[in-house]
Amino acid sequence: MNHSQKIALEVARQEHDRLCREHPLEQLFWECTLRCNLSCRHCGSDCAKDINASEMPLRDFLNVLDEIACHQDPSTIMVSTVGGEPLVREDIVDCGREIKRRGFQWGLVTNGFLLDEKMMHNLVDAGIDSMAIDLDGTKQDHNWLRCNLQSYDRAMRAIGLMRQVEGLEWDVITCVNSRNIGHLDDIKKQLIDAGVRYWRIFTIVPMGRAAGVDELQISDSQFRDLLNFIVKTRIDKDIDLNYSCEGFLGAYEGLARDYFFSCEAGLTVASVRSDGAISGCLSIRSDYNQGNIYDDSFWQVWNERFEKYRNREWMRHGVCEHCDMFRYCQGNAFHLRNSNGDLMLCHYRRLKNVKL
């Protein structure tokens, strides 16, 4: 890590400390359904194809938004409807319309399977601001990961529809695994050809369905190769590519993303789960819930709890206890911790001896 990176990390650390103190709410995830129309191999959530799975009534979530709007300008907050697959929810357009009517920004994360022309028209009419869609490689690799032979074609159709909407902010998310790691150049070309401007790459955390599935993981050397691919793509500027907020990257900080790592769960990001639980971001599957909207005031929970998120000294144990980078990574991304507080995966340790 060079001198300029270390200076930038110090600046990022100071900003992280400010967010811990002030915790301005900027993004609120709503797990609007646990139902899904796919059964993806890598899913880390609790979603299922159960058509009878309960969903939070829209009115209950709107009560949360109405409370927030009494304390903060709603236009400063992005409400992201996620699942499961949000488009399986029959009133999803009404959900978005009510979110927008209250002055919040509205985003949606989808696998794209149900996004046809009629649905796209309805979402735009309701005021959708941003969308993210999953595309996990070439047709064969994507369909394998999503366990559906139509999934790739449906996702590409959805990309074409989003591309036509003027003013819509959207990007494509790719989950890299051992099967598609060798096809990154092909994936990049197909996205560029499809008119994609913004691309995010994730790696798969070994939890949920992905736990213990070796072919969903990549080796340390492959992870290094992936980051080198991201850095080169960012230099070439053919497409705007970022590695996700997955974790601290050591010498790759400032090179693989537009920003330096900071886990903002509980700092600027909160979520309301399908059962009403209040947590950080929805990538966190371990039990770090801070309250429940059916028992607590969301705004009170946001301001008076979340101590585990805003003071992470408790994470300084195990591999983190004597780590020279804890000052900057603050124990890594929250979703990489199990319910016992142990770190499941550390990218910095994987890359510690990597030379750029």
Side-chain angles (χ1 to χ4, degrees), residues 12-13 31 78 91 94 133 141 159 184 214 282 293 309 318 353:
R13 184 189 65 80
E31 190 176 51
M78 169 65 73
D91 65 345
D94 293 331
I133 189 169
D141 290 339
I159 288 172
L184 293 175
D214 291 341
L282 283 175
I293 66 168
Y309 290 84
N353 298 317

Side-chain angles (χ1 to χ4, degrees), residues 32 52 61 68 96 140 152 172 190 224 263 277 279 298 315 320:
C32 67
N52 298 313
F61 182 67
I68 293 172
Q140 183 177 3
Y152 176 87
V172 168
Q190 75 181 17
R224 176 203 60 207
C263 177
S279 185
F298 175 90
M315 291 183 173
C320 297

Side-chain angles (χ1 to χ4, degrees), residues 220-273:
D220 292 352
S221 62
Q222 287 175 325
F223 185 57
R224 176 203 60 207
D225 293 341
L226 170 63
L227 293 182
N228 285 335
F229 167 83
I230 292 173
V231 171
K232 182 179 184 304
T233 299
R234 288 171 57 80
I235 292 172
D236 293 342
K237 297 183 179 181
D238 295 325
I239 188 171
D240 191 328
L241 174 59
N242 277 276
Y243 183 61
S244 69
C245 55
E246 184 72 40
F248 183 75
L249 301 177
Y252 286 88
E253 285 296 327
L255 301 176
R257 291 181 285 232
D258 291 338
Y259 53 91
F260 284 79
F261 172 74
S262 173
C263 177
E264 298 196 7
L267 278 61
T268 65
V269 178
S271 66
V272 174
R273 298 191 183 279

Side-chain angles (χ1 to χ4, degrees), residues 68-318:
I68 293 172
C70 291
H71 300 277
Q72 183 173 330
D73 179 359
S75 69
T76 64
I77 301 172
M78 169 65 73
V79 176
S80 297
T81 45
V82 298
E85 168 51 48
L87 294 185
V88 305
R89 184 170 172 133
E90 293 182 0
D91 65 345
I92 188 61
V93 175
D94 293 331
C95 294
R97 185 174 285 111
E98 289 299 317
I99 291 169
K100 289 293 293 182
R101 190 170 71 84
R102 284 161 171 76
F104 293 85
Q105 301 173 64
W106 175 36
L108 185 145
V109 181
T110 178
N111 58 39
F113 200 87
L114 298 177
L115 190 60
D116 56 17
E117 291 185 7
K118 180 179 179 181
M119 177 57 73
M120 189 76 250
H121 172 81
N122 290 339
L123 294 174
V124 171
D125 184 64
I128 189 80
D129 293 296
S130 70
M131 297 181 69
I133 189 169
D134 303 304
L135 190 77
D136 298 306
T138 59
K139 186 171 185 175
Q140 183 177 3
D141 290 339
H142 177 90
N143 288 343
W144 172 82
L145 190 63
R146 300 287 164 174
C147 298
N148 188 295
L149 295 179
Q150 300 180 60
S151 180
Y152 176 87
D153 290 336
R154 295 290 187 94
M156 290 299 291
R157 178 185 68 178
I159 288 172
L161 291 171
M162 290 189 295
R163 182 183 177 185
Q164 297 174 30
V165 180
E166 185 176 353
L168 178 68
E169 295 185 7
W170 60 278
D171 68 351
V172 168
I173 297 170
T174 298
C175 290
V176 171
N177 55 78
S178 66
R179 288 176 64 110
N180 64 10
I181 183 71
H183 304 151
L184 293 175
D185 286 317
D186 294 333
I187 300 170
K188 180 174 73 171
K189 183 179 185 305
Q190 75 181 17
L191 293 180
I192 293 173
D193 290 346
V196 176
R197 295 176 57 194
Y198 302 101
W199 185 20
R200 275 183 290 162
I201 282 181
F202 284 70
T203 42
I204 298 173
V205 180
M207 62 183 181
R209 294 180 195 154
V213 184
D214 291 341
E215 62 185 332
L216 293 178
Q217 305 303 316
I218 56 177
S219 67
D220 292 352
S221 62
Q222 287 175 325
F223 185 57
R224 176 203 60 207
D225 293 341
L226 170 63
L227 293 182
N228 285 335
F229 167 83
I230 292 173
V231 171
K232 182 179 184 304
T233 299
R234 288 171 57 80
I235 292 172
D236 293 342
K237 297 183 179 181
D238 295 325
I239 188 171
D240 191 328
L241 174 59
N242 277 276
Y243 183 61
S244 69
C245 55
E246 184 72 40
F248 183 75
L249 301 177
Y252 286 88
E253 285 296 327
L255 301 176
R257 291 181 285 232
D258 291 338
Y259 53 91
F260 284 79
F261 172 74
S262 173
C263 177
E264 298 196 7
L267 278 61
T268 65
V269 178
S271 66
V272 174
R273 298 191 183 279
S274 61
D275 62 357
I278 302 168
S279 185
C281 80
L282 283 175
S283 293
I284 303 169
R285 306 315 302 184
S286 300
D287 186 5
Y288 290 102
N289 299 334
Q290 301 300 297
N292 192 293
I293 66 168
Y294 293 112
D295 301 314
D296 307 293
S297 157
F298 175 90
W299 194 251
Q300 185 176 16
V301 170
W302 176 250
N303 281 288
E304 298 180 7
R305 302 185 193 177
F306 281 89
E307 178 65 16
K308 274 186 173 289
Y309 290 84
R310 296 166 188 166
N311 182 354
R312 303 189 184 186
E313 280 297 312
W314 66 271
M315 291 183 173
R316 198 191 287 266
H317 67 90

Side-chain angles (χ1 to χ4, degrees), residues 52-77:
N52 298 313
S54 61
E55 295 175 338
M56 180 184 292
L58 172 58
R59 179 69 260 172
D60 295 354
F61 182 67
L62 294 180
N63 289 339
V64 175
L65 297 188
D66 291 340
E67 180 188 10
I68 293 172
C70 291
H71 300 277
Q72 183 173 330
D73 179 359
S75 69
T76 64
I77 301 172

